[in-house]
Structures are given as structure tokens and as C-alpha cells.
């Protein structure tokens, strides 16, 4: 099997995933999964596609991710891994699609408007 390259995005995070057959090693920006993500919840988000398709120790993953925060990066990685697994085997789509792992979350931060404090918050109004 050749290396499968896929991209996942979430908010301002962009993750590039390189998937190949191996023994389940995950490296993010040259660091291990446990070293890069401190909390168990974020590690679970990254591994969720493998757990749903029961391929936890079958593929090695090299990931380059930038932009955004920890949660956005973890969810961008999850989308990219899900897309890569679907390219490896189309039957994985049946287990990933109902969980919503193949859907790009379109929600972005609303821009700040001029004459206002933030996107929706206004400056304090004084009647007198």
C-alpha cells in the first residue's frame, strides 16, 4: 500500500495526514500523540476513526498540523484520518459516516465589526 495523503480542516486549523501500513504509531509535527496532546479527550478524538473501524494498530500516521488551538487541531486531524481511511477501504465509510466524522464542520469565528467592541457586543450606550 502506498502512502495516502489527506487534508482536514476545522476553524483555522489545517491538518495534513500521511497514512501507511504499520503498527499504530502516530506522530504529530514530529512528536508522539501523548506528547503533543496532553488531555485524554483530545487523544481520543484523534484515535476515534481507528477505534470505529477497528484498525487501531494497523496504520502508521505522520501528521503536520498548524493554526488554531488544541481542540480545532484534534478535530482537523480526526477529519483527515477519516478521509484517508475511506480512501484505503471504501467499506469504512459505512461506520464513519453515521458518527459524523466525514463532515467538515463549517462553523468559523464571526468577524469583528467596526463601531463595536466585538462581533456582537456593542460599546456601552449612554443616554445622557
Amino acid at each position: 500500500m502506498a502512502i495516502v495523503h489527506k487534508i482536514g480542516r476545522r476553524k483555522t486549523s489545517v491538518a495534513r495526514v500521511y497514512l501507511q501500513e504499520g503498527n499504530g504509531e502516530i506522530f504529530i509535527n514530529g512528536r508522539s500523540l501523548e506528547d503533543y496532546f496532553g488531555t485524554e479527550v483530545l487523544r481520543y478524538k484523534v484515535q476515534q476513526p481507528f477505534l470505529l473501524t477497528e484498525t487501531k494498530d494497523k496504520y502508521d500516521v505522520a501528521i503536520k498540523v498548524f493554526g488554531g488551538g488544541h481542540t480545532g487541531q484534534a478535530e482537523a486531524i480526526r477529519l483527515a484520518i477519516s478521509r484517508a481511511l475511506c480512501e484505503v477501504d471504501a467499506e469504512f465509510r459505512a461506520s464513519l459516516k453515521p458518527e459524523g466524522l466525514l463532515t467538515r464542520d463549517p462553523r468559523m469565528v464571526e468577524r469583528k465589526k467596526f463601531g463595536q467592541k466585538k462581533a456582537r457586543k456593542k460599546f456601552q450606550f449612554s443616554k445622557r
Side-chain angles (χ1 to χ4, degrees), residues 52-110:
L52 288 172
T53 55
E54 298 168 2
T55 56
K56 191 165 182 344
D57 296 326
K58 291 185 180 178
Y59 299 103
D60 284 345
V61 189
I63 303 162
K64 301 265 194 252
V65 65
F66 60 92
H70 296 298
T71 305
Q73 286 187 353
E75 292 181 11
I77 290 169
R78 179 173 70 179
L79 176 62
I81 290 173
S82 299
R83 287 177 172 173
L85 285 173
C86 283
E87 186 166 314
V88 169
D89 188 356
E91 293 175 8
F92 290 151
R93 188 174 179 84
S95 58
L96 294 172
K97 184 78 171 155
E99 297 293 324
L101 298 187
L102 294 173
T103 306
R104 158 71 159 97
D105 194 344
R107 295 177 295 169
M108 300 289 279
V109 176
E110 191 173 338

Side-chain angles (χ1 to χ4, degrees), residues 12 16 32 41 44-45 47 61 63 67 70 73-74 88 92 94-95 101 107-108 118 121 124 126:
T12 56
R16 299 173 187 275
S32 68
V41 175
Y44 173 76
K45 281 186 180 182
Q47 293 173 336
V61 189
I63 303 162
H70 296 298
Q73 286 187 353
V88 169
F92 290 151
S95 58
L101 298 187
R107 295 177 295 169
M108 300 289 279
K118 295 187 341 190
K121 186 175 183 179
Q124 186 173 356
S126 173

Side-chain angles (χ1 to χ4, degrees), residues 26 31 43 47 66 72 90 109 111:
I26 299 174
R31 294 160 57 186
R43 288 185 213 140
Q47 293 173 336
F66 60 92
V109 176
R111 71 176 284 274

